[in-house]
């Protein structure tokens, strides 16, 4: 059954590369006086030979609120499995303060600096995520700033990043994470990342290199100390053949994991707000992920 489902998805991917365009947003912006409210989001379905079928593997609804003042707001809901109390459905909810074009401060439920070592889900180029040790969300304060020529910093101080948003222990403890990147030139970026608390210390270094407009290489290594010591890394390479077609290969290593070494080979078809990825892994699994941004 899953194999039959993969066929039309790949057919769509091939067809979708013909005429890329930039349509208007699906959901129109709501204007309330001087305030713009912009709903948007993304959803995907992942089909795998060794996975249970799900209509929606992930669905996120976002709302950006922009004002004519330095203060704006943002909220993100994970609506994949409903909004009951047992689900971690509130991903982000924060107010931003932008005193200058080089500095932004956020306060609330945050996407942390440390997991920015990997792409956000809606920009992921493979059917499955590479493995990393970083926690992603917590309540706290974050600053994003350009601190020099080609040097950018994101840093936060938060409470517990390993709990659901509505758990009382999500406000326990103090943690911090940060990410510093340096654009060596327009094609090469290097970065360093940390995430620390009283229980763990996690560190990573990464590089992103685009030798030409068609080639992309992204690699990272990480090591953690404390309650769950882990060592690993990943390397990803893609080549854009033509309009929206990108074959790729990914190598993923994590010491001590059930499958320490994972290799992925596949192709991504990208057409404006639609994306289809087909992968084969070293586990022998065939994966297809269809994504829509709205």
């Amino acid at each position: 059954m899953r194999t039959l489902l993969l066929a039309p998805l790949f057919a769509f991917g091939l067809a979708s590369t013909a005429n890329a365009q930039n349509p208007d947003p699906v959901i129109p912006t709501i204007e309330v006086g001087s305030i713009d409210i912009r709903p948007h989001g993304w959803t995907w379905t992942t089909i795998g030979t060794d996975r249970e079928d799900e209509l929606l593997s992930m669905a996120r609804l976002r709302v950006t609120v922009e004002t004519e003042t330095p203060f704006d707001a943002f909220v993100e809901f994970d609506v994949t499995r409903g909004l009951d109390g047992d689900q971690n459905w509130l991903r982000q909810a924060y107010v931003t303060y932008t005193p200058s074009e080089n500095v932004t401060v956020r306060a609330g439920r945050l996407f942390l600096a440390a997991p920015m070592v990997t792409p956000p889900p809606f920009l992921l180029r493979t059917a499955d995520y590479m493995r990393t040790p970083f926690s992603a969300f917590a309540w706290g304060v974050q600053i994003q700033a350009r601190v020099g020529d080609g040097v950018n910093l994101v840093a936060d101080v938060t409470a517990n990043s390993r709990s659901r948003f509505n758990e009382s222990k999500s406000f326990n403890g103090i943690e911090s994470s940060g990410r510093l990147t340096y654009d060596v030139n327009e094609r090469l970026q290097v970065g360093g990342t940390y995430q620390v608390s009283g229980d763990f210390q996690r560190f990573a270094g990464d590089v992103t290199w685009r030798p030409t407009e068609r080639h992309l290489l992204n690699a990272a290594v990480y090591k953690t100390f404390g309650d769950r010591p882990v060592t690993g890394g990943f390397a990803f390479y893609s080549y854009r053949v033509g309009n929206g077609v990108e074959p790729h290969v990914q190598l993923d290593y994590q010491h001590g994991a059930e499958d320490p070494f994972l290799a992925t080979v596949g192709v991504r078809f990208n057409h404006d707000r639609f994306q289809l990825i087909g992968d084969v892994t070293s586990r022998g699994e065939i994966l297809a992920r269809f994504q829509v941004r709205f």
Side-chain angles (χ1 to χ4, degrees), residues 93-173:
Y94 56 77
V95 174
T96 66
Y97 171 61
T98 308
S100 72
E101 62 180 5
N102 292 327
V103 178
T104 298
V105 180
R106 305 179 183 95
R109 182 74 175 174
L110 306 169
F111 181 75
L112 305 180
M116 294 179 186
V117 71
T118 61
F122 54 84
L123 295 181
L124 190 63
R125 286 179 161 84
T126 50
D128 227 356
Y129 246 108
M130 59 283 283
R131 294 172 292 189
T132 64
F134 299 113
S135 305
F137 302 98
W139 295 97
V141 178
Q142 182 180 80
I143 185 170
Q144 181 171 342
R146 181 179 180 182
V147 295
D149 187 14
V151 182
N152 294 279
L153 171 70
V154 183
D156 45 66
V157 177
T158 70
N160 189 351
S161 64
R162 293 173 291 177
S163 302
R164 296 195 307 267
F165 77 95
N166 55 356
E167 289 185 285
S168 59
K169 63 181 180 180
S170 67
F171 296 97
N172 295 343

Side-chain angles (χ1 to χ4, degrees), residues 1-2 5 46-48 51-55:
M1 179 62 181
R2 293 186 180 96
L5 288 172
T46 302
I47 301 171
R51 301 190 181 198
E52 294 183 1
D53 291 330
E54 290 183 312
L55 177 62

Side-chain angles (χ1 to χ4, degrees), residues 221-294:
V221 293
Y222 55 82
K223 187 171 182 61
T224 74
F225 306 89
D227 56 358
R228 293 180 59 190
V230 174
T231 300
F234 64 85
F236 171 87
Y237 168 76
S238 69
Y239 175 74
R240 182 163 54 84
V241 176
N243 186 14
V245 182
E246 291 184 5
H248 58 257
V249 59
Q250 179 174 281
L251 306 178
D252 182 344
Y253 173 77
Q254 190 171 86
H255 180 73
E258 182 178 351
D259 295 300
F261 179 80
L262 292 175
T264 299
V265 178
V267 62
R268 180 175 78 122
F269 305 98
N270 188 34
H271 173 70
D272 191 42
R273 64 168 58 94
F274 301 102
Q275 180 172 258
L276 173 65
I277 300 171
D279 281 343
V280 178
T281 74
S282 56
R283 290 173 174 159
E285 188 174 20
I286 301 173
L287 297 171
R289 178 161 65 83
F290 178 61
Q291 174 183 289
V292 180
R293 298 178 68 178
F294 55 87

